Amino acid sequence: MNSLTISELAIATKGKLVIGNESDTINDIVIDSRKANKDNVFVAVIGENLDGHQFMQSAYENGCKTFIKNASSSIKLNSSDINLIEVKDTQIALGDIAKYYKEKFDIPYIGVTGSVGKTSTKDIIANVVNMKYKTLKTEGNNNNNIGLPLTILKLKEHEALVVEMGMNHFGEISLLTNIAKPTLAVITNIGTSHIGNLGSRENILKAKLEILEGMKIPKIIINNDNDLLHGWYQENKGKFEIHTFGLENESEIEAKDIKMEEESSDFTAIADLEKIKIHVPVGGTHFVYNALCAMTVGKVLGISYEQIKQGIASFELTQKRMDMKKLDNGALIINDAYNASFESMKVSLEFLSKHTGKRKIAVLGDMFELGEYTEELHRKVGEEVVKNKIDILICAGENSKYIIDEVKKHSNIKTYFMNNNEEIVEKLNQELKKGDVVLVKASNGMKFFEICQKV
């Protein structure tokens, strides 16, 4: 981060400088008192479990001299050698500082949202953009009203920014886009994630389209094979600058002659009447879509197809997302335990089914935030297990019983229902043989990544 004066912090947050020197400067923003020092400002953010105001003294003891706190908080710092700004809401203030700071950089800002695949799509986009522009990206999935501002505030000598935007409810993308003000928006797909909060896929589309609210000139890239996005495109082409990619529907950039391998894929991209050979170093149809999306971003930003090819070919997958580990006994574990929705379960099961392993074993757990659709969507996962001819199914979680029940209705697949992760580990240790391939997938709250660590 480049330096900001205390005066600029007060202006950005519309806060009141209670004590301090307006001309002093800070070089970083922190919300963790353990990272606080004399060169940064500690913002006392109130989270779900912790109140940052309780850690101001700790930050001060670590050398921090500048603080932003809620005016309403009764917690005080009894020191005269500090800069103290009081605001109405420190969470909002953090976003306001990011909004103020980003205006110092006249660079492309790419905002990425969607029901599934945001993080891997963001990563491959950033890799492509970095071929021409020094690029900053969201680390991991820090895609909320805390993580996004903190990402923006890391801008320094960068020439482009790629940020991920997540949401669970209406209004959350609206908040993020009005902080980030993207110059280019990407929507990967519209599925069923958080449908329990939003009520329908149509409402999920509306929530994702809030990303346009923060744009001066709406410019958007969409997956044209997604039914709802395709319908929206048909209704709105001509109203906005919309760029499309796809495998099935006629699009600006398309993939043909796809050759799938277990850990990679190759295809011919059709763009501007050119045929470009693309190698993707990760297997699965969904990564072909990710590559097409990154190509479309690259094209819009004026990046050469040769640079785009290099960016896709050198892409590395974020850990816990289709991360593969070979066991001592010769079995292969596919760790896709970071999160789960019906759409991502479907894709992962298809990926498992195409693997050359002797036996295909699926270890599946609950998907969260599905509301009234909980039973229906878990049963649909069961249908996908049968469709993809999985050899063994192991489940844990209250709602995964619907997966097993559906599988039992339509097949003789061997199924096991376990009470917890420890029982799954024990069953896998008993069951696994050389050549087996195991998919581990559930919503993050199920902590199935522990299974991958212990097997």
Side-chain angles (χ1 to χ4, degrees):
M1 178 183 178
N2 296 326
S3 63
L4 289 175
T5 65
I6 304 306
S7 175
E8 285 182 295
L9 288 176
I11 290 168
T13 60
K14 301 179 181 64
K16 178 184 177 182
L17 180 59
V18 177
I19 184 173
N21 186 344
E22 289 185 342
S23 62
D24 283 354
T25 60
I26 59 96
N27 296 315
D28 198 6
I29 309 281
V30 297
I31 60 172
D32 185 340
S33 62
R34 294 167 296 184
K35 298 177 181 178
N37 60 51
K38 63 182 179 59
D39 296 319
N40 56 38
V41 54
F42 176 75
V43 183
V45 170
I46 300 176
E48 289 183 12
N49 302 312
L50 297 173
D51 181 351
H53 294 84
Q54 296 176 344
F55 298 91
M56 289 193 300
Q57 184 64 38
S58 174
Y60 177 74
E61 291 170 2
N62 285 336
C64 187
K65 298 297 182 184
T66 304
F67 300 83
I68 297 176
K69 67 178 286 289
N70 285 347
S72 60
S73 175
S74 60
I75 300 174
K76 306 292 182 184
L77 264 180
N78 297 317
S79 304
S80 58
D81 60 338
I82 62 171
N83 299 303
L84 177 63
I85 297 172
E86 290 189 343
V87 298
K88 185 176 181 180
D89 187 316
T90 49
Q91 268 197 24
I92 294 173
L94 183 63
D96 286 341
I97 297 169
K99 190 188 302 186
Y100 176 90
Y101 183 70
K102 74 172 288 295
E103 292 304 315
K104 296 175 178 285
F105 299 83
D106 184 16
I107 61 176
Y109 291 95
I110 300 108
V112 181
T113 192
S115 291
V116 293
K118 293 185 292 297
T119 299
S120 55
T121 306
K122 172 261 301 178
D123 286 342
I124 199 168
I125 288 171
N127 222 50
V128 165
V129 176
N130 198 50
M131 294 294 108
K132 182 174 181 178
Y133 304 103
K134 184 177 180 181
T135 303
L136 175 68
K137 67 174 183 177
T138 303
E139 291 300 324
N141 72 321
N142 290 317
N143 59 16
N144 62 12
N145 62 332
I146 303 296
L148 181 138
L150 291 175
T151 298
I152 292 172
L153 290 164
K154 290 179 182 176
L155 283 167
K156 198 165 187 178
E157 297 171 349
H158 300 93
E159 299 168 312
L161 173 69
V162 183
V163 288
E164 181 179 334
M165 298 182 183
M167 66 93 201
N168 298 324
H169 300 86
F170 281 119
E172 293 176 344
I173 296 291
S174 179
L175 172 63
L176 298 178
T177 191
N178 279 292
I179 294 171
K181 302 284 185 185
T183 56
L184 178 62
V186 173
I187 303 182
T188 61
N189 46 56
I190 304 298
T192 56
S193 296
H194 316 302
I195 197 169
N197 298 335
L198 289 153
S200 68
R201 289 182 66 228
E202 288 73 20
N203 281 344
I204 293 171
L205 173 62
K206 289 178 184 177
K208 298 297 183 184
L209 287 169
E210 290 175 2
I211 197 170
L212 300 178
E213 296 175 12
M215 306 182 75
K216 292 179 182 177
I217 303 173
K219 186 185 296 186
I220 186 168
I221 292 171
I222 63 164
N223 176 350
N224 201 28
D225 288 347
N226 181 266
D227 57 342
L228 291 185
L229 285 172
H230 177 70
W232 179 83
Y233 168 63
Q234 294 297 324
E235 293 174 7
N236 291 278
K237 56 185 176 181
K239 298 179 186 176
F240 306 104
E241 182 179 334
I242 306 172
H243 300 271
T244 60
F245 63 90
L247 307 184
E248 300 165 8
N249 292 323
E250 183 178 347
S251 302
E252 190 172 329
I253 297 185
E254 301 175 4
K256 303 294 182 184
D257 303 322
I258 302 170
K259 295 174 182 171
M260 293 284 187
E261 301 292 338
E262 290 177 359
E263 298 183 13
S264 65
S265 60
D266 292 271
F267 65 89
T268 300
I270 310 297
D272 297 323
L273 301 179
E274 288 191 50
K275 294 182 178 180
I276 305 109
K277 298 291 186 182
I278 299 294
H279 174 73
V280 188
V282 185
T285 304
H286 48 307
F287 282 100
V288 174
Y289 277 109
N290 291 353
L292 287 175
C293 182
M295 283 195 74
T296 313
V297 171
K299 178 188 172 186
V300 171
L301 295 182
I303 300 171
S304 72
Y305 287 133
E306 188 57 39
Q307 289 173 311
I308 289 170
K309 284 178 63 173
Q310 292 173 14
I312 293 171
S314 59
F315 161 71
E316 293 183 2
L317 193 61
T318 300
Q319 282 192 337
K320 295 185 189 175
R321 289 169 169 83
M322 303 299 281
D323 190 25
M324 299 190 190
K325 180 176 77 170
K326 199 82 171 180
L327 301 182
D328 293 339
N329 65 0
L332 179 69
I333 298 285
I334 303 171
N335 178 3
D336 197 18
Y338 182 77
N339 227 329
S341 65
F342 166 67
E343 289 77 18
S344 64
M345 284 277 200
K346 182 176 185 291
V347 165
S348 295
L349 287 165
E350 288 172 352
F351 179 78
L352 176 63
S353 73
K354 292 173 183 174
H355 214 283
T356 57
K358 290 183 179 178
R359 294 189 304 173
K360 316 297 184 355
I361 301 172
V363 178
L364 307 179
D366 287 1
M367 303 176 290
F368 294 166
E369 295 185 353
L370 299 180
E372 63 184 278
Y373 297 90
T374 296
E375 179 176 347
E376 175 189 343
L377 291 173
H378 281 86
R379 287 190 180 280
K380 286 182 73 173
V381 170
E383 292 173 6
E384 293 298 319
V385 170
V386 174
K387 176 181 173 183
N388 286 286
K389 299 178 181 179
I390 305 304
D391 297 297
I392 298 173
L393 172 66
I394 302 173
C395 289
E398 178 64 25
N399 296 311
S400 65
K401 64 188 179 186
Y402 299 122
I403 301 175
I404 286 186
D405 185 58
E406 198 65 26
V407 168
K408 286 182 174 179
K409 281 183 183 178
H410 303 289
S411 76
N412 294 318
I413 292 172
K414 189 185 293 185
T415 63
Y416 299 98
F417 183 81
M418 301 298 170
N419 294 310
N420 51 53
N421 293 357
E422 288 73 22
E423 289 187 6
I424 292 177
V425 171
E426 185 177 347
K427 174 55 68 176
L428 285 174
N429 286 333
Q430 293 171 355
E431 192 74 37
L432 286 183
K433 300 176 182 177
K434 184 177 181 180
D436 287 346
V437 183
V438 184
L439 168 70
V440 180
K441 189 164 183 64
S443 281
N444 197 37
M446 295 295 294
K447 298 183 178 180
F448 269 26
F449 57 87
E450 295 176 345
I451 297 169
C452 301
Q453 294 168 351
K454 295 176 181 178
V455 173

